[in-house]
Amino acid sequence: MLAKRIIPCLDIKDSRTVKGVNFVDLVDAGDPVELARYYSENGADELVFLDITATKEDRKTFAKLADEISKNINIPFTVGGGIKTVEDVDILLKSGADKVSINSYAVKNPDFINELATNFGTQCIVLAIDAKYVDNDWFVYLVGGRVKTEIRLFDWAKEVEDRGAGEILFTSMDHDGTKNGFAYQALEKLSQIVNIPIIASGGAGKIEHFNEVFKSGNIDAALAASVFHFNEIGLKDLKTELKNNNIPIRL
Amino acid sequence: MKVAIIDYGAGNTQSVKYALKRLGCEGVLTSDKEVISNSDKVIFPGVGQASSAMKKLKSKSLDVLIPNLKQPVLGICLGMQLMCNFSEEGDVDCLRIFDSNVKRFNNLLKVPQIGWNTIFDLKTKLFDSINENEYMYLVHSYYVPVLTDTVATSNYGINYSTAVKKNNFTGVQFHPEKSGSKGELVLKNFINNK
């Protein structure tokens, strides 16, 4: 049976992890490669690296980092942040990334999704969607949740599936950082609307939240950052607990 | 031990090379027919779309070379699918090593299948020291049905071939290079087996 995935997310700036990490046994917690290795050896099913600096020079450095990660870990990883061209994707995939994540640029240029699907196949395209609940509906936001659009979440999700996205990474900006749980209802609706895998993001604070997200809707993966980086939730504890609750999990 | 990794412009060949390197084995990324023919082992990877991958193989005449190789060959993911007769992905004739068509998953479950799934009914030395129902990482929308050549099975709505073997040719649908330490063990078995 296909297992539900647990995905730690690392924000990268100038080739370093940004959010603080709290692992006493790491020599250099700011080193993304070392952190990636730590997570892969401790049960992460996949990793996501988001480049939050996005100048052209940084893109080259980021590709080098992807190559370094690929050398050192033996689980799949996704890279994202500032991807705007087929060439950007080509370089990152050739550096060993399994998937790329695109967000704001796809909202402004939806044809880019089709272009990537044609060139690389749908399986390596993760469409990241940030949304907020305003005026009785969910709306897509850009630039890390700072700019509202008039696009409705569920319309956009359907459109990106039709255009060739292989997976949706949905972040509720209302829940992100609160540690009060995921946007269960929106996720459940999302899973009824599209027939591609969905990664839930935003709001993880306790093991129960992961349990609930996998029980409430047809969600394939859950992503979190700080609860893992600060070791508030241990990956092994989390996965054992989920397995005890009869959720299919790779241990 | 010379291991050639066939590089025909389809997908994530670098990861395979690095996985071999972690096992202490230097793989050579190449599309050179001579280099491939003279290797002890050949890995035929691939991520992407079947008909465009076949075009790339043909442009380098690798579609003629691969079925005639005599040393152990391991097809990974799309590489395994291309070793079959025909793929529904782009309706394309493939390398005809395994007597099967490659079909698309129906939409009862999410397509593509992405993630870690179990492998079972394990046969052959490729799976030495691998337990039944071990998890491996898979990403695919198309599958090879269960055949007489099937040496490992997975289930995604239906049972399908997650590994096939015939003579010197082996194919795995999962990505051993991305399936943690157990995946590396499969690669190691392929490299070390006679």
Side-chain angles (χ1 to χ4, degrees):
Chain A
M1 195 175 184
L2 186 66
K4 303 293 184 186
R5 285 170 282 152
I6 302 296
I7 308 175
C9 176
L10 290 78
D11 285 347
I12 307 293
K13 191 179 183 185
D14 305 323
S15 298
R16 305 278 295 168
T17 50
V18 177
K19 287 181 187 164
V21 285
N22 186 23
F23 291 123
V24 281
D25 40 353
L26 284 189
V27 178
D28 179 4
D31 175 5
V33 176
E34 192 173 351
L35 196 54
R37 200 189 291 125
Y38 175 87
Y39 280 131
S40 69
E41 285 167 2
N42 283 278
D45 295 306
E46 199 174 310
L47 296 169
V48 170
F49 299 86
L50 290 180
D51 183 14
I52 60 168
T53 46
T55 66
K56 215 169 179 185
E57 265 320 293
D58 290 329
R59 305 232 54 75
K60 283 182 202 155
T61 329
F62 197 48
K64 258 185 223 155
L65 178 63
D67 188 72
E68 206 52 42
I69 293 162
S70 179
K71 266 181 204 155
N72 283 281
I73 69 166
N74 52 18
I75 60 168
F77 66 97
T78 301
V79 291
I83 292 169
K84 291 191 177 70
T85 65
V86 168
E87 197 198 353
D88 289 340
V89 175
D90 192 48
I91 292 169
L92 289 168
L93 293 179
K94 278 189 179 142
S95 305
D98 298 274
K99 298 184 267 188
V100 294
S101 158
I102 50 173
N103 192 342
S104 300
Y105 190 75
V107 176
K108 292 176 199 150
N109 308 274
D111 287 341
F112 187 50
I113 304 168
N114 305 63
E115 202 181 345
L116 294 186
T118 311
N119 278 279
F120 306 103
T122 58
Q123 79 292 331
C124 62
I125 304 157
V126 180
L127 219 296
I129 306 178
D130 298 336
K132 257 186 210 181
Y133 191 72
V134 208
D135 304 330
N136 298 315
D137 206 349
W138 284 90
F139 287 91
V140 174
Y141 274 69
L142 302 178
V143 206
R146 288 197 290 274
V147 178
K148 183 175 183 282
T149 73
E150 291 309 312
I151 303 168
R152 284 164 208 274
L153 164 65
F154 300 111
D155 295 344
W156 177 235
K158 188 70 204 143
E159 181 176 344
V160 303
E161 177 186 27
D162 292 343
R163 286 179 176 274
E167 205 167 23
I168 289 173
L169 165 55
F170 168 59
T171 305
S172 161
M173 304 311 296
D174 294 324
H175 296 72
D176 200 30
T178 65
K179 298 193 179 177
N180 282 328
F182 294 93
Y184 305 110
Q185 286 171 349
L187 282 160
E188 193 175 346
K189 187 165 177 196
L190 202 55
S191 75
Q192 288 160 359
I193 284 173
V194 298
N195 199 43
I196 52 178
I198 296 167
I199 304 168
S201 157
K206 293 190 241 171
I207 289 182
E208 291 77 44
H209 298 150
F210 290 89
N211 199 36
E212 197 170 341
V213 82
F214 291 131
K215 294 234 157 152
S216 62
N218 192 2
I219 300 303
D220 302 272
L223 175 143
S226 57
V227 287
F228 296 135
H229 301 330
F230 291 104
N231 215 4
E232 291 163 15
I233 298 178
L235 278 170
K236 279 184 178 161
D237 295 342
L238 169 64
K239 293 183 86 177
T240 307
E241 186 67 23
L242 292 175
K243 186 152 183 147
N244 290 341
N245 283 308
N246 294 318
I247 291 165
I249 285 288
R250 177 184 73 110
L251 271 183
Chain B
M1 171 74 66
K2 281 189 287 185
V3 179
I5 303 164
I6 301 180
D7 185 10
Y8 57 108
N12 204 337
T13 44
Q14 200 67 12
S15 306
V16 177
K17 186 180 157 83
Y18 289 152
L20 290 180
K21 194 162 191 176
R22 288 193 291 271
L23 296 169
C25 170
E26 288 289 338
V28 184
L29 284 172
T30 180
S31 60
D32 185 314
K33 284 182 268 182
E34 195 117 329
V35 176
I36 296 169
S37 297
N38 291 326
S39 304
D40 302 305
K41 305 260 163 121
V42 176
I43 295 180
F44 176 33
V47 172
Q49 202 267 356
S51 60
S52 66
M54 276 308 296
K55 258 185 220 153
K56 287 174 188 163
L57 285 178
K58 281 183 179 164
S59 73
K60 298 176 190 292
S61 309
L62 294 170
D63 59 317
V64 180
L65 177 84
I66 294 169
N68 289 306
L69 289 171
K70 300 294 175 235
Q71 63 275 64
V73 178
L74 177 67
I76 297 175
C77 193
L78 183 62
M80 160 175 161
Q81 298 185 356
L82 294 178
M83 294 198 292
C84 294
N85 288 345
F86 175 86
S87 174
E88 285 182 6
E89 189 179 21
D91 289 328
V92 64
D93 284 320
C94 301
L95 302 175
R96 309 193 75 84
I97 296 165
F98 293 97
D99 187 15
S100 175
N101 289 356
V102 181
K103 301 176 175 202
R104 192 174 197 278
F105 282 123
N106 68 31
N107 281 329
L108 293 176
L109 291 172
K110 296 180 183 188
V111 181
Q113 171 178 224
I114 298 182
W116 299 76
N117 203 340
T118 50
I119 62 169
F120 52 89
D121 291 344
L122 308 179
K123 295 167 196 158
T124 81
K125 286 161 68 177
L126 188 69
F127 299 108
D128 277 357
S129 308
I130 304 281
N131 291 329
E132 285 285 325
N133 295 309
E134 191 55 72
Y135 279 101
M136 295 288 168
Y137 183 74
L138 297 138
V139 184
H140 60 129
S141 302
Y142 294 79
Y143 71 95
V144 178
V146 174
L147 316 170
T148 48
D149 298 325
T150 299
V151 293
T153 307
S154 289
N155 182 285
Y156 192 62
I158 47 155
N159 279 355
Y160 67 90
S161 295
T162 207
V164 288
K165 185 175 194 311
K166 185 181 182 182
N167 305 323
N168 56 320
F169 294 96
T170 305
V172 288
Q173 181 63 63
F174 58 87
H175 285 275
E177 77 280 13
K178 291 284 177 177
S179 294
S181 56
K182 302 299 175 183
E184 284 184 347
L185 198 50
V186 171
L187 274 182
K188 195 174 171 186
N189 286 340
F190 174 72
I191 299 303
N192 292 346
N193 287 345
K194 292 243 160 56

